[in-house]
Structure formats: structure tokens, C-alpha cells
Amino acid sequence: MPAVHTLLLEEALQDSPQTRSLLSVFEEDAGTLTDYTNQLLQSMQRVYGAQSEMGLATEQLSRQLLEYEKQNFALGKGDEEVISTLQQFAKTVGELNTLHSELATQMADRMIFPMIQFREKDLTEISTLREIFGIASDEHEAAMVKYSRLPKKKENEKVKAELVGEVAYSRRKQHQASMQYYCALNALQYRKRVAMLEPMLGYTQAQINFYKKGIDLVSKKMDSFLASVSSMTQNIQAQLDSEAEAMRMTQRELLSMEDTVYMPDRDPAPVNRTLIQKAGYLNIRNKTGLVTTAWDRLYFFTQGGNLMCQPRGAVAGGMVLDLDNSSVMAVECEDRRYCFQITSPNGKTSMILQAESKREYEEWICTLNNISRQIYLTDNPEAVAIRLNQTAIQAVTPITSFEKRGEGSPNPDRAKPGGMQSSSGASQKTSSAPEPEDLIVPGTPIQFDIMLPASEFQDQNRTGGRRTNPFGETDDDCSPESDDSLLQQVFAVRFLGSMAVRSGQSQEVIYEAMRQVLAARAIHNIFKTTESHLMVTSSSLRLIDPQTQVTRISFQLQEVTQFAAHQENGRLMGFVVEGRDWSEGDEEGEPSFSAFVFESNTEGEKICYTISLGKDIIEAKKDPEALAQLLKNMPLTNEGKFLLLNSETGNTANGGAPDEEESEA
């Protein structure tokens, strides 16, 4: 027999969105089983009642048994043994379509009664336990709301003790209700198998015992078949008994824990200040009007450099805030305890969150500060977090006001340049979206490292808290090719991955490559990226190591067939490069395409605009008048050599941009 899907009782206490999402799948499966059971029972009752139309009734029953294979159960289709057994039963019912009214009593005892008992006992129990679980969850949420509103300044120990007891009682009640509900849903996966097989077993036995037509060959075949079905149901029942005993043991073990497990702010474990990942429930303050606010309890977790939020029942979480270079600090808010504030680098976006306990409160602040410093991008994030532990300790000291960053802090300009377009051909969308298999061959390998590793925290003894200007190339660093270029622009980027694609004529292939690269990084827990410099000239694209100034890879601009920025995450961009494949012996070589995906410190649209401008210059060089008109409309340097673009890095064309000040928030 195949393995049976089960809900883990150990996860009942945490009640995470992932567990709730899996629970909804089991509930959907139970609903589908209820609908199918009702349909099957109606067919059986028609066989019992419609004696004058017995042939027609059994024919419909035969068809209904075959429908089990087509049922769309949320946990997957029925196993092959049950399906094949029901198919054999359907065939038998089709052959015995000339039944008589004398079978009514036997059919009522052996076929109708077990199915009614299954529906009234097992399925009704699931519905009742679901209502009890919902009531317990609501009572726990109400108790947590009261506990979260417990004042800090005028703390009443009696009131606090009552609220703590109420939270512990409601949480224990919810824990017990959830485990009973989980056990019933797990047992249903076994009982539904028996419920599907046992009625048909009794029905067929009644048919054979009644007729006794003396067809020894047929009788022997049916006896063997029914014996195998009986053995199957006994094996399933034995598995159910074993699983039920194991669930009872687990339930007793989990309920034997100390009461402090159910009490908030009673965790004796020390605070871990070196975390770079964190997950748990937090209260978030939302504005409901000009002066009114409301607090919602949601599940938050960190992923890379982002703060994510996942509502209950959702399959996946969504990004709430980019934590890179953000500030995290403790604040006083509406006389609530354990509140802290996260503010974006430009100070325009902020949110206030409340932790459940002091330990969670301090760990969240330390973790978010570690992520804000981009420790997760280093070779040894744990060691870096230990060295910066003192800063994390200072962050958990409450303050009553928030001051915006100085003008020297990075403040990316999110406004897109006017008239920015990816390319003349890239703006056109196909009428119908292609399938992923048409864009990228399934199973195509992904390359995650193309450059030498470079870490922002390799030199911890630097002074002044400043780092080397990533755009400070000198005239000596420029190749002869770049000296003759009319366009030279440098962007700080992080290489995410590259892979072979089937075509380079559609932006959809770039979006699909982005999706597969990000998904592969998430699946394999590859969060580290290395910063490099992407130099765009009017003739080529060059990826340069910022420390050694070594060109890691370069492409001619004519080889870039498509480029685009992500439609939702503006910091993601990619381009497709055309090459030649001479493996088949063709003199000209077959065209091959590769997609490269980057994450930029600036908006990806600016990089796409610069690449588009470089292609325009290449086309304009073919016509001197067009080139002169293009240069007339664009500002140049004093030497008339390089084109100046408005970007966040300042005058990067001449390498004159000031050093960026590293954020210490």
C-alpha cells in the first residue's frame, strides 16, 4: 500500500501558516470525500429501492464506481489497488444486472448500512471537530489581543497574571482541539479506503450467496477476488490501528510538556544576537484613518535581504520591505511593550512591529540589523555578526524619536528617467504568452558564479566607515576600446545567474530566466552574491571585478539581442547574448542564446536605457548626420568624449563620483 499523507501533531502548537495551508488541503480532501460518499450512497440506495429498474440502477452504480479514479482529491488520486479493485467491482456489477427483489434485505444490511455509518459517524465527526477547532482558534486570538494590549507603564500584576493564564488556557485548548482534529483527519485517510471497499464487498458476497447458479468457474474466481479484497481491508485496518496508537502516544508526549510552553514571555533560552534569518508572529501597526490605528497579528520571516509576510492560508509569502541599509530601532508606541521600528534608507517608508516576548523582541532587532548590514552576503556571516554584536546590543535600547539619515547615507532615486525604454523591439508584447518549455529547455543547468568573490566586510579595520568608490575608474583603467567610445557608464550590480535559452527575440525569455534563477537560489539556499561593475559603452558590455579591475566577461553590444528589467522588482534586469555553436560542424555555426540575470543597486530600467542608447549610437554611426543629431541632443564632457547620464552614482563617466558612505544603521 502506498504511504498515507498525515498532519504532524508536533506542528499543532506552532500553528504556522504552512501548517494551516496543509490543513486546508486535508479539509478540501475531506469535503471532496464527503461529496463523493453522498453520491455513492445515493447510487446504492437507488439499487436498494428501485427494484423494478434493477438493471438500470446497477449500471449507474457500475459507472459511479469507475468515477473514483477520476475524483480530484486534494491529497492526490486514490491508490492503484483501490482503483483496480473498484474497477473489478464495477465490472462484476455490470455482469450481474438482472437482480431480484429478494436481495433487498441483504443489500440493506451489507451495503447501505456501512456507508451510512461511515457518513454519519466519521464524516460528521470531522465537521464537528472543525467547528471546535475554529472556536478554539478564535478564543486564542482574542486572548492574544487582550495580552498584547497589556500596558507597560501602569503594569498591574493581578491583571497581567489573569491575562497570562487566559492566554495559556486558550492556547492549550486550541492545542488539544487541533491535535484531535489532526488525528481525525489522519485517520480519515485510512477509513475512507475501508468505507469504499467494505460496502461493495458485502454487496458482491450477497449476490453470489443468493444465486448459487452452480457456475463453479465463476464462483471460484469471485471467491479468490473477494478474499484478496478482504485481506486488503484487514491490512488497512491494521495500519489504521497502528497509526492511531502512534498518534495517541505522540499526543500524550506533547501534552506532558511544561505549562511555560503555552505562556508568552516565559522562554528561558538566551538571546541569540548573531542570527541572519528569523521567522515568527509579530503585531504590525496599520493606519485605519487620519489619527486611528489598528494592530494585526501576522507571520513574518526574512529571506535574503527582504522582510516577508505570509497571511494564514496563503501558499507563499510576499515581500514587505527591502532591509538592505535600513534602520532598525526600539521605539515607544501606544504604551505597548516590545515595539520596534524599521525605516527604509531614505526615511520615507517605515513600519512599527510588536514582538510577543522580550527574547523575540531583541532577536528580531539584532537579526534585522545584521541583514541591514548585508552580512548575509559575506563568506562567513556568523563571524561578522559576532564582531558587530555590540551594535546590535545598542539597537535594542528604546528611544522615543527617530532621526532621518544624514545626507551622506545612500538615498537611491527611485524615479525613472524620462523616455526610458528597454529597446525598440522589446516594448512589443506577443498576443499570447509562450509556455516556459518554449523559452528554456527543462533541466537547463544554471551558473551562479562568474566572478571572483568580493566581500564588503573583508577589511574590518578600515577607518571612517567609508568604502572604495565602486565607480572610480581612472583613464589608465580604460581600454583603448573605451577611450574611443562615445558612451561609458558604470553600474554596481550583483550577478545572480546565467543559463542557456532557446530564443533571444522576446522579453518573456528574460522574465522566465529570472524566475528560474531566483527559484533555484531559493531551493538550494544560495543567498550569497558578489558585487561587480557593469560597464556599458557604445560598443560593448564589460563585467569588471571592483577590487582587481579585471574584466571577468565582456560582450559586443551587437551580440545583445534583448534586454529588460523586471516588471515588479525594478532592481532586477537581464539581457540575452547571441553566440555561435560549431559543435555540429557547420561552417557558420548554429546560433545559440544565453540569458544573464543581475540585481542592481539602481533601477534596472536605467541600465536598459543605457544599453538602448549604446545601440542607438551604433546605428547612428552608420549615418554621420544622424550621429551628429544624436550628439547634439545629448550633453558631453568638457573633452567631448563621454556622454553624461543622470544616475544615482553621479558623474561616473569620468570616475569623479564621491565615495559612498557605508550605512551603519
Side-chain angles (χ1 to χ4, degrees):
M1 298 294 293
V4 177
H5 299 278
T6 59
L7 287 165
L8 298 179
L9 300 183
E10 293 82 356
E11 299 179 357
L13 177 58
Q14 185 181 6
D15 194 25
S16 65
Q18 292 86 351
T19 305
R20 284 295 184 105
S21 179
L22 181 60
L23 176 61
S24 65
V25 177
F26 275 78
E27 291 175 343
E28 181 182 353
D29 185 83
T32 305
L33 179 61
T34 301
D35 296 337
Y36 176 76
T37 301
N38 292 331
Q39 296 174 5
L40 186 58
L41 182 58
Q42 289 177 2
S43 298
M44 293 179 178
Q45 289 174 340
R46 183 176 180 182
V47 172
Y48 170 72
Q51 301 178 13
S52 61
E53 300 179 358
M54 189 61 69
L56 181 61
T58 51
E59 183 180 359
Q60 181 182 357
L61 176 59
S62 177
R63 291 196 302 265
Q64 191 63 46
L65 292 173
L66 295 175
E67 288 296 320
Y68 181 80
E69 182 182 8
K70 303 177 183 178
Q71 294 301 308
N72 187 21
F73 292 110
L75 295 178
K77 293 186 176 181
D79 55 86
E80 293 298 328
E81 289 182 282
V82 175
I83 291 175
S84 60
T85 304
L86 291 178
Q87 289 176 345
Q88 183 63 32
F89 276 124
K91 180 179 179 181
T92 302
V93 173
E95 295 174 353
L96 303 176
N97 60 356
T98 56
L99 303 179
H100 302 285
S101 61
E102 293 81 3
L103 295 177
T105 302
Q106 296 185 29
M107 286 190 293
D109 295 337
R110 299 186 181 185
M111 183 176 65
I112 303 299
F113 178 73
M115 185 58 63
I116 294 179
Q117 187 179 28
F118 171 73
R119 185 185 67 174
E120 299 299 330
K121 179 181 177 182
D122 297 327
L123 298 182
T124 303
E125 179 187 11
I126 294 294
S127 178
T128 303
L129 290 177
R130 181 178 182 180
E131 294 178 1
I132 295 175
F133 173 70
I135 294 174
S137 298
D138 294 340
E139 291 178 354
H140 175 252
E141 289 296 328
M144 285 304 305
V145 170
K146 292 180 181 180
Y147 175 79
S148 300
R149 293 175 179 172
L150 189 65
K152 178 182 178 182
K153 294 181 179 180
K154 299 179 181 180
E155 186 169 301
N156 189 323
E157 293 296 329
K158 181 178 180 180
V159 175
K160 180 180 178 181
E162 292 177 355
L163 291 179
V164 169
E166 183 179 353
V167 170
Y169 172 77
S170 61
R171 187 169 291 179
R172 185 182 186 92
K173 182 178 178 181
Q174 183 195 19
H175 190 199
Q176 293 175 341
S178 61
M179 285 195 294
Q180 292 177 356
Y181 189 28
Y182 290 0
C183 291
L185 288 174
N186 292 340
L188 184 63
Q189 301 306 312
Y190 294 93
R191 289 171 179 166
K192 76 176 182 181
R193 296 184 177 185
V194 178
M196 294 298 108
L197 300 177
E198 186 178 5
M200 295 311 305
L201 179 63
Y203 170 79
T204 310
Q205 286 177 338
Q207 293 283 357
I208 296 177
N209 293 334
F210 179 78
Y211 282 100
K212 294 294 184 180
K213 295 183 178 180
I215 307 178
D216 296 337
L217 181 62
V218 176
S219 298
K220 291 180 180 180
K221 182 174 65 175
M222 291 304 301
D223 289 340
S224 175
F225 169 68
L226 294 178
S228 64
V229 175
S230 178
S231 176
M232 183 191 307
T233 57
Q234 292 176 2
N235 293 335
I236 297 174
Q237 186 64 41
Q239 293 179 10
L240 172 59
D241 296 339
S242 175
E243 183 67 20
E245 181 62 26
M247 288 189 293
R248 283 193 292 269
M249 294 293 294
T250 304
Q251 186 174 359
R252 286 196 295 268
E253 181 180 352
L254 294 176
L255 290 176
S256 63
M257 296 183 297
E258 297 291 337
D259 291 339
T260 55
V261 176
Y262 302 98
M263 297 180 181
D265 209 6
R266 291 291 189 274
D267 195 346
V271 177
N272 188 350
R273 304 182 185 279
T274 62
L275 296 174
I276 56 175
Q277 288 183 335
K278 183 70 176 172
Y281 280 100
L282 294 173
N283 292 335
I284 182 173
R285 189 181 72 164
N286 297 318
K287 287 187 177 181
T288 57
L290 295 177
V291 295
T292 58
T293 59
W295 292 81
D296 297 324
R297 188 167 181 260
L298 300 174
Y299 189 83
F300 289 85
F301 62 95
T302 61
Q303 187 177 57
N306 301 323
L307 179 64
M308 314 290 286
C309 177
Q310 183 176 359
R312 287 188 177 180
V315 178
M319 191 181 79
V320 178
L321 188 66
D322 186 352
L323 297 175
D324 288 348
N325 298 324
S326 62
S327 64
V328 186
M329 60 192 67
V331 294
E332 298 286 351
C333 183
E334 299 182 6
D335 197 24
R336 284 186 175 233
R337 303 181 302 169
Y338 312 139
C339 294
F340 58 94
Q341 177 174 280
I342 309 174
T343 308
S344 61
N346 56 17
K348 296 181 180 180
T349 304
S350 64
M351 64 174 59
I352 296 179
L353 303 171
Q354 180 189 19
E356 180 177 306
S357 63
K358 183 177 181 180
R359 176 175 173 270
E360 289 291 308
Y361 160 75
E362 295 186 5
E363 284 192 352
W364 269 107
I365 293 180
C366 294
T367 303
L368 297 178
N369 270 298
N370 293 338
I371 297 175
S372 173
R373 291 171 173 80
Q374 300 181 354
I375 293 177
Y376 64 94
L377 299 176
T378 62
D379 294 328
N380 191 352
E382 290 77 10
V384 176
I386 294 175
R387 288 196 292 270
L388 296 178
N389 185 27
Q390 185 60 36
T391 304
I393 294 177
Q394 296 174 357
V396 299
T397 303
I399 64 174
T400 57
S401 63
F402 168 69
E403 297 180 0
K404 293 184 178 180
R405 295 174 177 269
E407 296 298 331
S409 299
N411 184 11
D413 182 10
R414 304 298 296 173
K416 297 182 179 179
M420 184 178 299
Q421 297 178 355
S422 297
S423 66
S424 60
S427 61
Q428 299 178 357
K429 297 183 179 180
T430 59
S431 58
S432 60
E435 295 295 332
E437 294 79 4
D438 299 333
L439 303 175
I440 301 176
V441 178
T444 299
I446 300 176
Q447 181 178 354
F448 296 109
D449 51 349
I450 197 174
M451 7 184 197
L452 294 176
S455 174
E456 184 179 354
F457 293 94
Q458 286 180 347
D459 185 8
Q460 294 294 331
N461 298 323
R462 58 191 177 194
T463 60
R466 303 175 68 85
R467 60 184 177 186
T468 305
N469 175 22
F471 310 106
E473 292 81 8
T474 62
D475 292 340
D476 295 336
D477 297 330
C478 299
S479 64
E481 177 186 0
S482 62
D483 289 337
D484 297 334
S485 178
L486 295 176
L487 171 67
Q488 181 176 344
Q489 191 75 7
V490 182
F491 301 92
V493 298
R494 288 178 289 276
F495 177 73
L496 298 180
S498 63
M499 60 191 309
V501 297
R502 288 186 170 182
S503 173
Q505 306 302 324
S506 171
Q507 286 186 351
E508 298 298 330
V509 71
I510 299 178
Y511 300 146
E512 179 63 20
M514 290 178 180
R515 186 191 68 80
Q516 293 194 18
V517 168
L518 294 178
R521 281 181 168 270
I523 292 173
H524 300 289
N525 294 325
I526 303 175
F527 299 112
K528 178 184 174 183
T529 57
T530 306
E531 185 174 286
S532 294
H533 295 165
L534 179 64
M535 177 181 291
V536 183
T537 69
S538 60
S539 59
S540 65
L541 296 178
R542 296 169 55 198
L543 201 62
I544 302 174
D545 189 299
Q547 293 184 348
T548 63
Q549 300 301 314
V550 174
T551 300
R552 305 303 301 160
I553 192 171
S554 64
F555 305 102
Q556 294 298 316
L557 210 56
Q558 295 92 332
E559 298 175 353
V560 179
T561 62
Q562 195 63 250
F563 48 90
H566 197 276
Q567 296 171 327
E568 298 179 359
N569 187 352
R571 295 173 59 181
L572 293 179
M573 68 82 56
F575 56 81
V576 179
V577 177
E578 181 179 359
R580 292 290 171 179
D581 184 7
W582 286 276
S583 60
E584 298 183 0
D586 192 352
E587 295 182 358
E588 297 183 357
E590 292 292 332
S592 62
F593 301 92
S594 300
F596 293 80
V597 181
F598 297 88
E599 181 183 21
S600 172
N601 289 348
T602 181
E603 289 191 358
E605 286 287 350
K606 292 188 177 182
I607 303 178
C608 294
Y609 169 74
T610 308
I611 297 175
S612 176
L613 187 59
K615 285 184 168 290
D616 292 342
I617 293 176
I618 293 177
E619 294 298 325
K621 284 183 179 180
K622 301 177 182 178
D623 186 356
E625 295 182 0
L627 180 60
Q629 183 64 27
L630 180 63
L631 296 179
K632 182 179 179 181
N633 297 331
M634 296 296 177
L636 303 176
T637 61
N638 295 333
E639 297 83 0
K641 180 180 295 185
F642 300 123
L643 184 65
L644 295 178
L645 298 177
N646 293 327
S647 67
E648 300 172 1
T649 59
N651 186 8
T652 61
N654 287 334
D659 293 345
E660 288 188 4
E661 183 175 350
E662 182 184 356
S663 171
E664 296 293 343

